Amino acid sequence: MIELRQVTITYPDAVRPALSGVNLRVPEGELCLVVGTTGSGKSTLLRAINGLVPHFSGGRLEGVVSVGGRSTAEFPPRELADVVGFVGQDPDATFVTDVVEDELAYVLENLAVPPVAMRRRVEEVLDLLDLAPLRHRPIATLSGGQRQRVAIGAVLAAAPRVLVLDEPTSSLDPAAAEEVLSAIARLVHDIGMTVLVAEHRLERVVHLADRVVWLPGDGRLVHGEPAEVLHRVPTVPPVVALGRLAGWSPLPLSVRDARRAASQLRERLASYAPAPNVLPGRSAAPRIQALGVRAGYGPTEVLHGVSLSVEPHEVVAIMGRNGAGKSTFLRLLAGLQSPRKGTVRVDGIDPVAATAATLVRHVGFVPQDAAVLLAASSVADELAAVDREAGTAAGTARGVLDGLVAGIGDEHHPNDLSEGQRLALALAVVLTPAPPVVLLDEPTRGLDYDGKRHLVTALRQLARDGHAVVLATHDVELVAELADRVVVLADGEVIADGPTSEVVRHSRVFAPQVARIMDPEPFLTVAEVARALELVP
């Protein structure tokens, strides 16, 4: 179904090819998971399969990329729409119409499909992805998981034989991600579609994969059975990392398989629970103080009397399903929105009343769309501007960036970076001045495991130095590694607030993989298990 023969792709002015001498064959009806660090060539590989590379993205393509018997060098993307469908990292950027049913029909209108056949195909997609109840809904009113399914449905309407997905769950809460991945699994198993998925949150999808393709970052490609390939990959999801630590063979890919293998490990560590989180004592001057906050948009109220206090040295994770009010709450703290009722104080100031010059000295905010923080025409200019404005030594911002994602060239325009690289650059912009309060909205979207590890290190250091860190995230593994405290929002209200181990460990939605595997023993991370094993006689 998909075949790459001696494929080399080189972008203009690149020091080396993005892909070099790559060979790959993916048969029909297979779910293939593409993994690799940020900038390793995953997006290039996916875009080569539907012809966006080189027809849209440029670069020189050598070798043969064939999909369904058609060479992507000879057929532009519009002439491959009935063979391969592509859904990028931001589904909202692909929507053309306002209503679900109209969006599904749009691609068929462009393909000049007769009305009778168009109606039949739209109905089939509505049923296949469980979108029929939403057919007349405005897309703007849908949840993140629903919008992702609509984006997938829009390309499925053309009846392609191959579906290519780039980070399909990066901005989704665990329940919405499961909803999307269940739909993808149905496409593979019920109708035999070939699916390629690039995903950084491997813990969500690796157990569904028939094959793993690993891009080490040097232009090469390694592929094979998931457990076989993951033995070689440096950074892996917690379920695999725990299997490596415990010496299980074969490596487990799902919580179910790991839990079956972990019975002796749980017994062995029953008396070696990790030390509980000790939250800092309440100070006279908390970094963040929100009291009885109500906020919304137009006639819709999103937050209903939320109160929250965050101390120096504290890392607080705000969790909840898409639409629960997490981003709205961060916007209030960042001074981008006024509360309808209640008061907000950040580092002692009213963020709405403060001038921009005053606000940036007190609070740093990285929104979900990190690109809005980037204004320069090159990475070098962006980093130099940060050092000047923050009063830090030249090269400080570059050091912060390299600590998150290495290898981003000075000459690149920020808009030409991958999603993860652009996020890392925005994080460097905000973290370089080390403001007393740091607010992050989905900070690991597009970040690989290495980037996430470096981010955890940087934020922990800020907390040790007395800063307050608040992050809104769906990344339960990040929360387990980093957060002192978890606040859960539901329908604009706080329904849980306490130490991380108490809030997430027994949650059916927010528990990390290690907690599910080791329950009832109170472990959240592989590192905690490793430390406990060192104490076992």
Side-chain angles (χ1 to χ4, degrees), residues 50-69:
N50 80 326
L52 286 173
V53 174
H55 294 290
F56 179 78
S57 303
R60 185 176 72 254
L61 169 66
E62 302 172 56
V64 176
V65 180
S66 175
V67 183

Side-chain angles (χ1 to χ4, degrees), residues 86-110:
F86 180 84
V87 181
Q89 294 182 13
D90 183 8
D92 290 343
T94 67
F95 295 140
V96 179
T97 68
D98 297 324
V99 177
V100 170
E101 189 172 33
D102 295 343
E103 188 67 27
L104 301 184
Y106 178 78
V107 66
L108 300 177
E109 292 174 347
N110 281 275

Side-chain angles (χ1 to χ4, degrees), residues 1-2 26-30 67-70 80-85 155-156 158-164 187-188 191-196:
M1 178 53 64
I2 300 172
V26 181
E28 190 170 8
E30 189 167 274
V67 183
R70 299 186 199 176
L80 293 170
D82 62 331
V83 178
V84 55
V155 300
L156 288 183
R161 297 158 64 190
V162 175
L163 180 62
V164 178
L187 295 176
V188 174
I191 66 175
M193 180 169 283
T194 304
V195 177
L196 268 76

Side-chain angles (χ1 to χ4, degrees), residues 293-294 301-307 318-320 323-325 487-496:
V293 172
R294 294 180 176 270
E301 186 171 88
V302 177
L303 297 176
H304 316 299
V306 171
S307 295
I318 301 179
M319 306 188 75
V487 175
V488 181
L489 292 180
D491 295 327
E493 298 178 345
V494 175
I495 63 168

Side-chain angles (χ1 to χ4, degrees), residues 218-307:
D218 57 4
R220 295 181 301 116
L221 179 151
V222 178
H223 67 95
E225 294 288 330
E228 170 193 337
V229 175
L230 290 174
H231 260 298
R232 306 169 62 180
V233 177
T235 50
V236 293
V239 64
V240 177
L242 186 62
R244 286 177 174 179
L245 176 68
W248 297 331
S249 182
L251 278 178
L253 302 179
S254 67
V255 169
R256 181 187 67 172
D257 292 342
R259 187 158 178 83
R260 288 174 173 174
S263 58
Q264 292 184 352
L265 181 61
R266 290 192 296 269
E267 292 175 4
R268 185 180 177 191
L269 298 182
S271 302
Y272 292 87
N277 283 355
V278 178
L279 297 182
R282 293 296 169 187
S283 66
R287 292 288 193 201
I288 295 172
Q289 187 77 52
L291 296 174
V293 172
R294 294 180 176 270
Y297 307 91
T300 304
E301 186 171 88
V302 177
L303 297 176
H304 316 299
V306 171
S307 295

